[in-house]
């Protein structure tokens, strides 16, 4: 294509696109119909008045009558705007438009035949100027359709040229010769305008089609994401149910075998169960963050308390990999949620240890103005630049194509990303392949003061927690038989009486019977998802409504769907997520019973 050439119109590949272009062209042609009609009538009668005043020729008035008669066709064109099927009848209206223009243009082409003066060159020039200007001015409005453009320009200008040639004088022949290139230039300009307008329409509709396809892809992606979320929620729930039973039975077994030779095997079994539970918990944590059920509790605290906890958590893991874990005390205080920040840093340290086979891992904090930069630096395998943007994606792991379980599930850094956004603590990363990586977390600094934030210490590996003094009656609503049997065995080993029912109707019978017998249940533990799609939260709230004294309520669930988690949060009911660590379950039971006793008597039971 040569410089200055108009871009050729893109080929119309489909009939649908052709119809859209035609419909838009016709709509444009009829868009300025009313205003142009009024302007044309005003121009025609102004011209008639001028020529009749100068020439006194009655043929001027005769032409005016002809022009007036052809304007009677305009109402037929105005019917386009009242046609409810105009879009479907675009070809019909396009044909009517160019035929009307042919009549209109022929009427103007007759004007010089009616009153072109033979010896008055100024008036001849005026008539030429009016007609040529009219033909040029209408080109942009008629350019959408070539048929309308030709019907508008040709009869008018060729009529003028013919009248000039008929006069035969040299000056008239010269003027006629001048009109010929003017006509060619006008038609060429109109054709170029038509090409540009058609190209613009085709491009616009192609973009609209692309936008529609993109919107459809976005909807499909959202649906796929929702399906994935539902799948993981269902799969996670189905996995957590047997895991909860295994955890409770393992804890009961460890308690009963304590001090015996088989006790070591029971402890090893429980360690394996806790490792698997931790993997499920990571996925649940991400879902809980996405659901917004975790709300930061920001307070000032001393950073060294957290660093000591991290050293206790990961010291043995570093020794097992024969690397050095160095955590430097800083004496700094920060303002954040201690628990969530510790979990963020724990994921970074855990990730660093997993991918470091020589050298070590350093955790250090430095103050920079009103901020504290906490850095986790390792001498591990590093990350190539092309992988850095994706390392915070779920399930993405560099140099682990075989999904080695020792390197985790690939969710740890995704959890870091979610926590970083939740806490508003930016995380930066730099890395060199084969040399190691540096993760930097920026936290607000605060002056030293009194710390009220608790720091997690490493959990004890022993799960045989006895409740001893807990003699209250507890009712469990869960339709899973494996969970029911395991819970009975576990609570019995801990010295707590537990009754189990499988549906809300049986639960109501049990609650009523206990209350009538003078030994009401003090705690109702309910699964969130019951048989037949039942809602454990609604069922439990209905069961406890109006009871005096009202038992405490504790929910157990393996749900990970964000919507469900938000609903539980909004209900304000305490919830534990399966598989629950047995010791944590007993502590939660004790806390719920204490809270229930405080509510009932106003005095906490020791």
């Amino acid at each position: 294509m040569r410089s200055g050439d108009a871009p050729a119109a893109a080929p119309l590949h489909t009939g649908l696109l052709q119809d859209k272009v035609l419909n838009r062209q016709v709509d444009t042609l009829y868009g300025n119909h009313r205003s142009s009609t009024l302007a044309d009538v005003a121009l025609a009668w102004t011209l008639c008045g001028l020529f009749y005043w100068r020439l006194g020729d009655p043929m001027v008035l005769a032409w005016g009558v002809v022009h007036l008669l052809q304007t009677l066709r305009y109402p037929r064109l105005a019917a386009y705007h009242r046609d409810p099927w105009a879009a479907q009848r675009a070809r019909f209206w396009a044909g009517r438009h160019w035929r009307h223009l042919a009549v209109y243009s022929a009427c103007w082409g007759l004007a010089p035949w009616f009153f072109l003066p033979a010896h008055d060159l100024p008036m001849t020039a005026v008539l030429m100027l009016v007609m040529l200007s009219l033909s040029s001015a209408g080109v942009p409005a008629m350019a959408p359709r070539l048929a309308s453009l030709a019907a508008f320009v040709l009869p008018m200008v060729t009529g003028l040229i013919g009248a000039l040639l008929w006069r035969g004088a040299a000056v008239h022949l010269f003027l006629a010769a001048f009109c010929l290139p003017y006509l060619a230039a006008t038609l060429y300009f109109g054709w170029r305008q038509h090409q540009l307008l058609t190209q613009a329409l085709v491009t616009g509709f192609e973009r609209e089609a692309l936008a529609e396809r993109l919107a459809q892809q976005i909807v499909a992606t959202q649906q796929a994401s929702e399906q994935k979320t539902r799948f993981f929620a269902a799969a996670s729930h189905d996995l957590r149910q047997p895991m909860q039973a295994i955890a409770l039975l393992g804890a009961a077994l460890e308690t009963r075998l304590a001090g015996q030779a088989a006790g070591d095997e029971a402890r090893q079994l429980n360690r394996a169960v806790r490792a698997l539970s931790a993997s499920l918990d990571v996925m649940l944590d991400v879902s809980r963050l996405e659901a917004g059920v975790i709300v930061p509790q920001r307070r000032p605290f001393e950073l060294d308390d957290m660093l000591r906890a991290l050293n206790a958590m990961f010291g043995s893991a570093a020794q097992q990999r024969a690397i050095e874990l160095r955590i430097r005390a800083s004496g700094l205080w920060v303002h954040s949620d201690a628990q969530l920040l510790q979990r963020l840093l724990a994921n970074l340290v855990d990730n660093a240890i997993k991918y470091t086979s020589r050298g070590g891992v350093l955790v250090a904090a430095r103050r920079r103005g009103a901020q504290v930069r906490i850095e986790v630096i390792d001498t591990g395998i590093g990350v190539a630049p092309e992988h850095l943007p994706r390392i915070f994606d779920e399930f993405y792991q560099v140099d682990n194509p075989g999904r080695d379980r020792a390197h985790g599930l690939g969710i740890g850094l995704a959890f870091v990303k979610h926590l970083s956004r939740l806490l508003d603590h930016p995380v930066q990363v730099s890395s060199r392949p084969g040399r190691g990586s540096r993760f930097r977390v920026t936290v607000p600094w605060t002056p030293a003061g009194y710390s009220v934030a608790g720091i997690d210490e490493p959990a004890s590996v022993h799960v045989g927690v006895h409740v001893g003094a807990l003699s209250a009656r507890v009712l469990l609503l869960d339709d899973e038989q494996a969970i029911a049997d395991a819970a009975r065995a576990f609570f019995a080993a801990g010295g707590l009486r537990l009754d189990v029912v499988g549906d809300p109707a049986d639960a109501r019978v049990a609650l009523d019977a206990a209350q009538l017998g003078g030994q009401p249940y003090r705690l109702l533990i309910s699964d969130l998802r019951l048989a037949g799609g039942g809602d454990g939260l609604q069922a439990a709230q209905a069961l406890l409504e109006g009871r005096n004294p009202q038992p405490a309520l504790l929910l157990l669930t393996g749900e990970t769907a964000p919507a469900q988690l938000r609903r539980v949060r909004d209900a304000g009911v305490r919830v534990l997520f399966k598989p629950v660590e047995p010791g944590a379950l007993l502590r939660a039971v004790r806390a719920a019973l204490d809270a229930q006793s405080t509510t009932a008597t106003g005095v906490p039971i020791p």
Side-chain angles (χ1 to χ4, degrees):
M1 182 182 294
R2 296 187 302 273
S3 176
D5 285 351
L12 304 180
H13 298 290
T14 65
L16 178 61
L17 184 57
Q18 290 179 357
D19 291 342
K20 285 185 174 182
V21 171
L22 175 62
N23 184 53
R24 184 64 60 83
Q25 290 173 335
V26 172
D27 193 60
T28 302
L29 290 174
Y30 283 93
N32 58 355
H33 168 72
R34 293 171 182 169
S35 59
S36 62
T37 299
L38 293 175
D40 178 69
V41 171
L43 175 63
W45 283 99
T46 300
L47 185 68
C48 287
L50 174 64
F51 270 77
Y52 187 77
W53 173 68
R54 287 294 303 267
L55 304 178
D57 188 350
M59 294 301 292
V60 174
L61 299 178
W63 179 84
V65 172
V66 172
H67 184 276
L68 180 62
L69 291 175
Q70 72 88 24
T71 58
L72 298 178
R73 298 169 52 88
Y74 284 109
R76 297 183 62 190
L77 295 179
Y80 170 83
H81 301 286
R82 301 188 299 272
D83 185 0
W85 304 101
Q88 288 74 25
R89 302 203 307 156
R91 294 192 182 279
F92 165 79
W93 286 107
R96 173 170 285 190
H97 190 269
W98 78 259
R99 288 191 294 270
H100 161 74
L101 284 181
V103 174
Y104 164 82
S105 183
C107 177
W108 275 98
L110 291 174
W113 291 91
F114 272 72
F115 53 85
L116 182 69
H119 306 291
D120 193 336
L121 289 181
M123 294 305 293
T124 299
V126 169
L127 183 59
M128 283 187 60
L129 179 64
V130 169
M131 293 184 63
L132 294 180
S133 298
L134 180 61
S135 65
S136 298
V139 167
M142 307 306 160
R145 295 290 295 170
L146 286 178
S148 295
L149 175 67
F152 177 78
V153 175
L154 285 174
M156 185 185 307
V157 180
T158 55
L160 175 62
I161 294 173
L164 291 171
L165 292 175
W166 181 73
R167 291 296 182 185
V171 65
H172 293 96
L173 295 177
F174 172 79
L175 293 176
F178 170 78
C179 289
L180 287 173
Y182 186 88
L183 173 61
T186 301
L187 290 174
Y188 177 73
F189 173 75
W191 176 78
R192 290 284 299 273
Q193 285 286 101
H194 170 75
Q195 295 290 93
L196 292 174
L197 291 173
T198 303
Q199 175 67 32
L201 288 174
V202 170
T203 302
F205 285 124
E206 288 178 343
R207 288 178 177 173
E208 288 180 5
L210 180 62
E212 290 177 1
R213 290 196 296 269
L214 180 60
Q216 292 172 356
Q217 292 176 354
I218 291 175
V219 171
T221 301
Q222 291 174 340
Q223 291 175 345
S225 177
E226 291 172 358
Q227 291 173 356
K228 181 199 73 172
T229 300
R230 287 193 296 268
F231 168 78
F232 276 113
S236 176
H237 180 272
D238 293 343
L239 286 173
R240 290 172 186 275
Q241 295 292 90
M243 277 299 304
Q244 184 66 78
I246 294 172
L248 294 176
L249 288 173
L253 183 62
E254 181 179 349
T255 300
R256 290 173 179 172
L257 296 178
Q260 302 181 29
D264 290 337
E265 285 78 3
R267 283 190 293 273
Q268 292 175 6
L269 170 65
N270 284 326
R271 279 196 294 269
V273 171
R274 284 193 295 273
L276 182 54
S277 298
S279 297
L280 292 174
D281 286 340
V282 171
M283 291 189 289
L284 176 62
D285 287 336
V286 173
S287 297
R288 293 173 66 197
L289 284 172
E290 292 176 344
V293 299
I294 299 179
V295 180
Q297 303 295 326
R298 293 180 174 86
R299 301 181 180 92
F301 63 92
E302 188 175 8
L303 191 58
D304 286 351
D305 293 340
M306 177 180 295
L307 297 180
R308 282 191 291 269
L310 291 174
N311 187 59
M313 292 171 65
F314 295 103
S316 60
Q319 290 178 359
Q320 291 175 4
R321 294 186 62 84
I323 61 175
E324 184 179 2
L325 174 62
R326 291 189 297 164
I327 298 182
R328 293 178 179 172
S330 65
L332 296 171
W333 285 60
V334 295
H335 190 270
S336 180
D337 185 303
Q339 306 289 345
L340 296 180
L341 179 58
Q342 179 178 332
R343 298 195 68 183
L344 187 155
L345 294 175
N347 276 276
L348 291 178
V349 175
D350 181 61
N351 183 77
I353 292 175
K354 286 176 181 176
Y355 289 97
T356 301
S357 58
R358 58 178 179 81
V361 176
L362 170 66
V363 181
R366 299 177 180 85
R367 180 184 171 189
R368 291 292 184 271
Q371 297 176 333
V372 174
R373 295 178 178 177
I374 307 172
E375 295 183 337
V376 179
I377 307 168
D378 65 70
T379 58
I381 61 174
V383 182
E386 62 269 20
H387 293 295
L388 279 177
R390 296 194 58 194
I391 61 173
F392 291 100
D393 294 346
E394 281 88 351
F395 308 111
Y396 186 81
Q397 292 179 300
V398 180
D399 293 336
N400 189 20
R403 304 298 299 174
D404 182 1
R405 180 62 186 85
H407 289 167
L409 297 174
I411 307 181
L413 291 183
F415 190 52
V416 168
K417 176 184 68 175
H418 289 295
L419 282 175
S420 169
R421 292 175 178 173
L422 179 66
L423 294 171
D424 194 21
H425 296 345
V427 177
Q428 298 172 306
V429 57
S430 59
S431 185
R432 295 178 62 184
R435 299 291 298 274
S437 303
R438 178 194 301 264
F439 289 84
R440 175 183 295 164
V441 183
T442 303
V443 185
W445 170 81
T446 190
Y450 176 68
S451 175
V452 294
I455 303 298
D456 287 341
E457 295 295 338
S460 170
V461 298
H462 179 63
V463 296
V465 181
H466 290 268
V467 291
L470 287 179
S471 58
R473 299 184 66 185
V474 177
L475 182 64
L476 172 63
L477 173 56
D478 197 313
D479 55 88
E480 290 283 338
Q481 190 61 43
I483 296 288
D485 295 339
R488 285 192 188 96
F490 171 68
F491 279 97
L496 181 65
R497 179 180 174 181
L498 178 75
D499 295 328
V500 182
V501 291
D503 60 68
D506 292 342
R508 184 174 297 278
V509 171
L511 288 166
D512 292 342
Q515 193 160 9
L516 290 174
Q519 292 182 325
Y521 289 102
R522 288 179 54 198
L523 174 64
L524 172 62
I525 304 175
S526 176
D527 192 1
L528 183 59
R529 182 188 295 183
L530 302 177
D535 189 315
L537 175 59
Q538 291 182 355
Q541 290 174 330
L543 287 170
L544 300 184
E545 185 178 1
R547 295 189 180 275
N548 187 22
Q550 187 178 78
L553 175 59
L554 181 64
L555 285 178
L556 293 177
T557 183
E559 288 284 353
T560 58
Q564 287 283 58
L565 298 181
R566 282 192 292 268
R567 191 172 66 88
V568 173
R569 177 201 62 185
D570 295 340
V573 179
R574 181 162 186 177
V575 59
L576 296 177
F577 296 94
K578 298 178 181 178
V580 185
E581 192 272 324
L585 176 58
L586 287 180
R587 288 191 292 272
V589 168
R590 178 60 190 259
L593 291 173
D594 287 347
Q596 190 267 352
S597 298
T598 302
T599 303
T601 65
V603 179
I605 295 177

